[in-house]
Amino acid sequence: MTKAPRRKLKMDFWFFVKVGVILALCLFIVYPFYTILTKSVFSSKVEGMTLYNFNRFFTKKYYYRTLIRSLVICSFTTLFSCVIGVFIAYVMTRYNVPGKMFLHVLIILSLMSPPFIGAYSWIVLLGRNGLLAKAFSSIGLTAPTIYGRNGIIFVFTLHLFPYVYLYTSGAMNSIDASLEEAAENLGMNKLRRIWTITLPVVLPSILAGCIMVFMTCLADFGTPMLLGEGYTVLPVLVYNEYMSESATDPFMASALSVIIVACSMVMLALQKLVVEKKNYTMSTLRPPQETKLHGFKRFAASFPVYLVIFFALLPQIVVICQSFVERSFSGMIQGINLNNYRAILSRLGQNIFNTYAFSLVAIVFIVIFGILISYVLVRKKGKAATVIDTLIMFPYVIPGSVLGIGLIVAFNRKPIILVGTAAIMIISYVVRKLPYTVRSGSAFLYQMDPSVEEASINLGVSPMKTFFTMTARMMLPGVMSGAVLSWITCINELSSSIMLYSGKTSTIAVAIYQEVVRMSDGTAAALATILSVTTVASMLLVFKLTKGKVKIV
Amino acid sequence: MSNEVIIKNAVKRYGDFTALHDVSLNIEQGEFFTLLGPSGCGKTTLLRMIAGFNSIEGGEFYFGDNLINDVPAHKRDIGMVFQNYAIFPHLTVEENVAYGLKARKTPKAEIDARVKEALELVQIAPLAKRKPSELSGGQQHRVALARAFVIEPSVLLMDEPLSNLDAKLRVQMRSIIKKLQRRLGITTIYVTHDQEEALAISDRIAVMNLGEVKQIGTPREIYAKPENPFVAGFIGVSNFLNCEVTANDGKTAKVSIKGELDIDVPVRRSYIGKAQLSARPEQLFFSKTGMPGTVLFSTFLGDFIEYEVELDDKQMLIINEYTKDTTTVHEVGEKVHISFDATRISLYDDAEEVLSK
């Protein structure tokens, strides 16, 4: 009767999943970042362990001003995105803006489009040989320049305000109408109602959106690289220190990476502190009513929304038009034809193939691992799950360029050499996008009652088979829509690709960057159009999968 | 093939907390057996141990002669109806019902025939092609029921299957379940916290509290002869009164209640000292002599009137008087005297063990 409680390790399928996942995460997240950390406290100029790099960063203006610039750009972008995003969210949820659903889709599209294409396209319009710049100068005016600080903030804001919009409109739609009615009933006027009730209740969501903007902005490499000219921000400095042909300093680049990650971590901690503490759960009995405006009032409310969305999508339109225009070296228009496409197919076919092939392979891994990991996190709670849960959060705070450097310094020597291979590109995509799929998979599993699985086991199907035929099968639609969103970000990925690519593994995004630098506008536009069309087509697939209820954030 | 279920000294622990203490049950072949108790009493824990979803920290579980402690859940050949039905949302009604048969590699033609028969038994044959999202709660319940018994399991388990239905449907489904179980003769273990449901549906009931079985018996036995104050209080309504056994010859005890009323109670053993008695509302009556009190409240409920009477020492009693037995109606504020039917009350010693016969 006194049987010792059996606590032996169960060597089942899930045991191997846990071990495998932890090993993979350690190898591809912890180890690279650990290598960066160790490199950051060494230098080619000083013997032994040293804070030389950090010391130099905070004393040399050349270095520390990039941090200040990054923070300036992130702060202003966040501020403007917040104002625009909240305004549009309020108008779109409360007033009868014509074509509301269509506008919503357009906003999501502009967020999903590759960020550096926006930058490139604004160069086409307002750059040195820009179309608008020329038009302005032909009538004797000077167009505002797109280069430098203001240009970067402008392009970032147009690209990132959708985050604030999506978070805020989500919250505004879930406020019970009676909340505002109660305030009205207690004698508050409209403006004070918004100020004392509506805003405070949606504030956590607004902040969540703002933090997304700030973190994306901090990590983004392409936009400031193309527009910055002399205005160097932190991620660009990392790239320069690591990649520039003259004076590469992997130790300094590592120290810079550590500083960026530290900034992201502070933001993430802030999010935990502010957002999660002040989240109100509301049971919405009556969704807020739309106010019907007429005539001029309706126009006045809708016009700014249309204007912002027009500017947000303008880059896409410009790029697509540009892709059919053949130009000579001096920029003269030669004709409207498909020559740009012919050029890229003959010269950059490999890049196009790589982009789709790498992303596709990455997505397959992301879906498989995403489903397995979220199952472990939700259903197999324990020490192993806690470890995985912590490790999987890392990629949120590691910018692409930093992950790129980490993978290079970790895998450019024995025992594992991956630098220059397709594998390292795919690994970087999987590591960066996996957390999003795990998050959507876990969210689904938390809603799914475990008794459905138990019913299947109870009816005689083994737990293993139940997982594959029942659970995974039911998770797939939810995970797939998340995976297609990840696929879109993979094909548009620049910041880690630009670190990791080699001649044979270059992608469309890398090629666009190089073509823009080479002032070869036509081919860059054609490449960008390919990405844009793929993005739109994939988004349509997501809309179909989710029946119109896309969850980007 | 239906089986008897024997549980010997079952123990369940969660860390330092013992959820089940030494539970032993003998459930006969074809019996409708109910585990009844308040939430947290361990009834669902025990059911899930039988199903194989909870680990077994001690004791032995037999289906017939087979020890099943180490048999994995999917090989125990058990049908189970879950509290929330756990209908597979992506499968149609008939696919749900066929699921267990497919797992058993039953030939296609036989599956079709048995699924059809099962759906007819629970009267939802016309819904065979529907998706679960198109079904009402009651219909989903029928699908869950059909899915569980179509595999002809050796044991059928039900975990509060009626708790999500409205009152009227609950009574209706209760009789469907009972008739189906009779007809198929499957050994059934049923978990509920609803005592009325347990009394109505069961052959035998195990009343549980705090991880222990407090009494096992037929519904009639448990209602009429509760073996401890917990069962007396949990099943139906009971009035508890402190009293003293002043004399006892092992057959009849003289019981004094607050020095105001002396009654003779038939007992099963000798005991003298402090005691507790419990009486159902219908075992109390108004009389010329007895415990003095005041009517505080009366509720007319059709076939009987429920009185709340406050005794002079402030203790409250509930008394039911059937309208067919009397024409007198007691008014609120009226001074009354209360007596007992001494042969039908329950008497407990100060260790809460039953004394009365």
Side-chain angles (χ1 to χ4, degrees):
Chain A
M1 178 51 222
T2 51
K3 250 191 261 171
R6 282 164 303 163
R7 270 214 155 271
K8 67 177 185 216
L9 219 63
K10 271 210 297 186
M11 298 276 273
D12 63 356
F13 171 70
W14 291 108
F15 172 78
F16 291 107
V17 169
K18 286 180 200 167
V19 171
V21 165
I22 290 180
L23 281 181
L25 292 179
C26 285
L27 188 61
F28 297 125
I29 296 176
V30 179
Y31 175 58
F33 191 67
Y34 170 79
T35 318
I36 289 186
L37 260 183
T38 47
K39 269 220 175 359
S40 73
V41 290
F42 286 96
S43 171
S44 51
K45 306 208 169 56
V46 186
E47 289 271 323
M49 270 177 74
T50 171
L51 288 177
Y52 174 77
N53 296 317
F54 294 97
N55 195 21
R56 209 154 62 114
F57 181 87
F58 288 107
T59 49
K60 287 264 191 292
K61 192 176 178 198
Y62 172 75
Y63 291 111
Y64 71 72
R65 69 170 183 196
T66 60
L67 177 61
I68 296 171
R69 284 170 172 177
S70 272
L71 293 180
V72 165
I73 288 206
C74 291
S75 304
F76 279 103
T77 303
T78 308
L79 180 70
F80 295 142
S81 299
C82 181
V83 172
I84 295 174
V86 171
F87 171 77
I88 294 184
Y90 189 84
V91 172
M92 291 266 284
T93 50
R94 294 303 155 88
Y95 299 113
N96 55 338
V97 178
K100 197 180 271 194
M101 269 317 291
F102 185 60
L103 292 180
H104 182 75
V105 172
L106 289 182
I107 294 176
I108 293 176
L109 265 181
S110 75
L111 178 65
M112 294 312 292
S113 68
F116 59 92
I117 288 184
Y120 155 62
S121 169
W122 282 106
I123 293 176
V124 170
L125 287 171
L126 287 173
R128 237 152 255 122
N129 288 313
L131 304 170
L132 282 180
K134 276 186 196 160
F136 269 88
S137 64
S138 68
I139 54 169
L141 290 172
T142 318
T145 177
I146 197 68
Y147 299 106
R149 185 191 63 208
N150 297 348
I152 298 175
I153 294 174
F154 176 72
V155 172
F156 266 148
T157 304
L158 281 181
H159 181 64
L160 296 176
F161 83 87
Y163 275 128
V164 182
Y165 161 77
L166 289 171
Y167 273 98
T168 311
S169 64
M172 287 211 175
N173 274 325
S174 67
I175 296 186
D176 194 306
S178 52
L179 221 58
E180 280 176 47
E181 284 165 6
E184 187 173 0
N185 174 260
L186 292 168
M188 281 284 184
N189 68 33
K190 189 172 175 71
L191 213 61
R192 289 186 66 196
R193 275 201 312 270
I194 294 177
W195 190 247
T196 55
I197 302 292
T198 318
L199 265 179
V201 171
V202 297
L203 193 62
S205 305
I206 296 176
L207 288 177
C210 286
I211 285 170
M212 277 301 286
V213 172
F214 196 100
M215 297 214 357
T216 315
C217 209
L218 184 66
D220 192 78
F221 160 81
T223 306
M225 188 70 190
L226 289 176
L227 295 177
E229 306 265 287
Y231 198 79
T232 318
V233 296
L234 202 44
V236 174
L237 182 67
V238 173
Y239 176 81
N240 287 343
E241 286 294 310
Y242 200 79
M243 302 300 262
S244 75
E245 273 128 37
S246 53
T248 61
D249 184 350
F251 299 104
M252 192 64 201
S254 299
L256 297 175
S257 303
V258 172
I259 291 166
I260 298 190
V261 172
C263 291
S264 306
M265 279 178 151
V266 170
M267 289 311 292
L268 202 70
L270 221 71
Q271 177 177 26
K272 281 236 178 295
L273 212 73
V274 184
V275 179
E276 287 182 7
K277 248 188 199 166
K278 296 188 76 179
N279 231 331
Y280 308 100
T281 44
M282 279 174 290
S283 50
T284 311
L285 299 171
R286 253 162 9 92
Q289 292 299 305
E290 181 182 278
T291 311
K292 297 260 179 275
L293 296 177
H294 298 283
F296 177 73
K297 275 189 175 176
R298 189 177 183 194
F299 173 79
S302 309
F303 180 71
V305 176
Y306 275 84
L307 194 68
V308 171
I309 295 174
F310 169 75
F311 275 113
L313 286 173
L314 187 59
Q316 304 297 319
I317 300 162
V318 168
V319 158
I320 292 170
C321 296
Q322 193 75 359
S323 73
F324 297 104
V325 177
E326 191 192 0
R327 285 169 189 278
S328 69
F329 247 168
S330 53
M332 298 297 289
I333 295 178
Q334 305 280 69
I336 310 289
N337 53 40
L338 291 174
N339 280 351
N340 291 325
Y341 289 93
R342 288 195 193 97
I344 57 170
L345 279 181
S346 67
R347 201 152 55 81
L348 297 166
Q350 180 75 38
N351 294 48
I352 297 168
F353 172 79
N354 286 347
T355 302
Y356 291 115
F358 296 168
S359 303
L360 202 65
V361 175
I363 287 307
V364 170
F365 278 105
I366 288 172
V367 168
I368 295 172
F369 280 109
I371 289 179
L372 289 176
I373 292 175
S374 43
Y375 193 81
V376 168
L377 292 187
V378 178
R379 294 273 196 267
K380 305 274 167 189
K381 289 202 172 89
K383 281 193 189 112
T386 316
V387 172
I388 294 173
D389 201 17
T390 317
L391 290 182
I392 207 85
M393 283 297 289
F394 260 87
Y396 278 120
V397 294
I398 301 184
S401 47
V402 173
L403 183 75
I405 292 183
L407 289 173
I408 294 174
V409 293
F411 298 113
N412 65 356
R413 56 187 171 183
K414 285 184 178 180
I416 310 172
I417 298 175
L418 292 175
V419 170
T421 63
I424 202 166
M425 304 280 282
I426 293 165
I427 288 167
S428 80
Y429 295 168
V430 173
V431 166
R432 288 192 64 200
K433 300 304 163 196
L434 192 56
Y436 299 92
T437 304
V438 169
R439 204 165 55 167
S440 63
S442 312
F444 176 85
L445 274 175
Y446 273 115
Q447 285 172 359
M448 181 180 149
D449 198 297
S451 63
V452 172
E453 288 162 70
E454 285 173 357
S456 167
I457 293 168
N458 172 260
L459 289 166
V461 177
S462 72
M464 240 318 245
K465 202 173 167 206
T466 295
F467 173 77
F468 284 110
T469 60
M470 181 77 55
T471 320
R473 159 83 185 63
M474 283 166 63
M475 285 175 77
L476 208 55
V479 169
M480 273 317 286
S481 65
V484 178
L485 290 176
S486 296
W487 146 268
I488 293 172
T489 46
C490 280
I491 57 171
N492 294 331
E493 213 284 339
L494 177 66
S495 54
S496 65
S497 304
I498 195 106
M499 298 284 177
L500 294 169
Y501 82 95
S502 67
K504 277 188 194 145
T505 63
S506 184
T507 62
I508 296 180
V510 173
I512 293 175
Y513 173 74
Q514 290 165 334
E515 296 293 299
V516 173
V517 171
R518 216 180 282 157
M519 306 285 277
S520 180
D521 284 348
T523 44
L527 287 167
T529 304
I530 292 177
L531 286 188
S532 292
V533 169
T534 314
T535 302
V536 172
S538 309
M539 278 308 296
L540 292 179
L541 181 64
V542 177
F543 281 115
K544 200 170 153 49
L545 280 174
T546 57
K547 300 185 181 81
K549 290 182 202 127
V550 194
K551 255 190 97 91
I552 309 268
V553 288
Chain B
M1 183 50 210
S2 185
N3 258 323
E4 59 179 344
V5 176
I6 299 164
I7 298 167
K8 291 181 181 165
N9 310 101
V11 175
K12 175 76 205 168
R13 285 191 206 92
Y14 294 106
D16 291 337
F17 172 71
T18 306
L20 281 185
H21 308 265
D22 261 350
V23 171
S24 296
L25 298 171
N26 276 319
I27 299 159
E28 286 162 23
Q29 185 183 328
E31 190 175 25
F32 199 115
F33 192 91
T34 297
L35 303 174
L36 172 67
S39 57
C41 73
K43 54 191 192 299
T44 296
T45 303
L46 181 61
L47 193 80
R48 290 175 60 84
M49 286 164 88
I50 300 170
F53 297 131
N54 280 354
S55 61
I56 299 170
E57 268 74 46
E60 286 157 0
F61 288 66
Y62 292 94
F63 288 179
D65 297 329
N66 304 322
L67 181 71
I68 54 139
N69 283 37
D70 292 324
V71 178
H74 64 283
K75 291 189 178 151
R76 290 194 184 186
D77 194 29
I78 293 174
M80 184 155 173
V81 179
F82 292 81
Q83 184 168 11
N84 57 5
Y85 318 138
I87 306 291
F88 307 131
H90 60 301
L91 303 180
T92 63
V93 168
E94 59 181 3
E95 285 166 345
N96 260 283
V97 177
Y99 191 83
L101 294 172
K102 280 189 187 145
R104 284 163 175 70
K105 306 219 160 41
T106 314
K108 177 86 173 69
E110 194 189 332
I111 291 182
D112 292 346
R114 280 167 69 177
V115 167
K116 193 158 175 287
E117 189 191 16
L119 291 178
E120 274 162 10
L121 269 178
V122 294
Q123 301 157 11
I124 49 166
L127 309 179
K129 308 284 181 197
R130 295 261 187 100
K131 278 282 172 78
S133 54
E134 300 167 276
L135 301 181
S136 69
Q139 290 165 340
Q140 290 192 16
H141 182 261
R142 288 167 198 249
V143 176
L145 207 56
R147 187 178 69 182
F149 74 70
V150 75
I151 58 172
E152 294 172 6
S154 55
V155 181
L156 185 61
L157 307 180
M158 300 200 196
D159 185 6
E160 309 219 15
L162 301 178
S163 60
N164 287 336
L165 300 177
D166 66 54
K168 203 171 169 190
L169 206 52
R170 196 149 52 208
V171 174
Q172 195 187 344
M173 286 310 298
R174 191 162 87 186
S175 85
I176 289 178
I177 290 176
K178 179 75 180 169
K179 282 174 192 155
L180 205 61
Q181 192 268 343
R182 273 288 139 72
R183 180 158 163 185
L184 301 169
I186 303 177
T187 312
T188 300
I189 306 176
Y190 188 98
V191 161
T192 182
H193 64 270
D194 181 339
Q195 41 127 345
E196 184 197 319
E197 192 175 299
L199 294 176
I201 207 169
S202 318
D203 293 328
R204 281 196 305 154
I205 298 171
V207 184
M208 296 179 68
N209 190 37
L210 302 173
E212 287 175 2
V213 173
K214 305 301 282 189
Q215 185 172 359
I216 300 174
T218 63
R220 195 174 286 270
E221 284 166 356
I222 283 180
Y223 186 80
K225 298 273 174 214
E227 280 176 7
N228 43 61
F230 173 79
V231 176
F234 189 72
I235 308 284
V237 179
S238 287
N239 294 296
F240 290 100
L241 285 164
N242 291 324
C243 57
E244 182 129 12
V245 179
T246 51
N248 184 348
D249 61 2
K251 286 187 179 125
T252 308
K254 281 220 174 302
V255 177
S256 159
I257 305 153
K258 305 172 183 186
E260 290 165 344
L261 185 67
D262 289 301
I263 50 174
D264 290 335
V265 179
V267 291
R268 53 179 84 173
R269 59 191 166 87
S270 52
Y271 170 82
I272 286 182
K274 283 204 185 316
Q276 193 180 20
L277 69 77
S278 82
R280 302 288 183 193
E282 66 270 21
Q283 291 159 359
L284 294 168
F285 53 85
F286 298 102
S287 60
K288 295 265 181 295
T289 57
M291 294 176 295
T294 313
V295 176
L296 271 193
F297 205 75
S298 82
T299 312
F300 178 72
L301 290 161
D303 51 349
F304 66 90
I305 302 172
E306 184 188 272
Y307 292 103
E308 284 178 37
V309 174
E310 188 182 53
L311 297 182
D312 288 356
D313 65 350
K314 301 292 175 203
Q315 179 164 7
M316 298 291 303
L317 294 179
I318 307 272
I319 301 167
N320 289 353
E321 204 167 50
Y322 285 85
T323 40
K324 67 178 170 51
D325 296 338
T326 176
T327 50
T328 350
V329 174
H330 300 279
E331 299 299 329
V332 171
E334 191 181 326
K335 296 281 178 198
V336 291
H337 286 87
I338 309 292
S339 281
F340 298 92
D341 178 352
T343 57
R344 291 172 64 195
I345 62 161
S346 300
L347 187 65
Y348 308 102
D349 64 18
D350 65 351
E352 302 201 334
E353 304 269 349
V354 68
L355 269 179
S356 52
K357 237 177 186 159

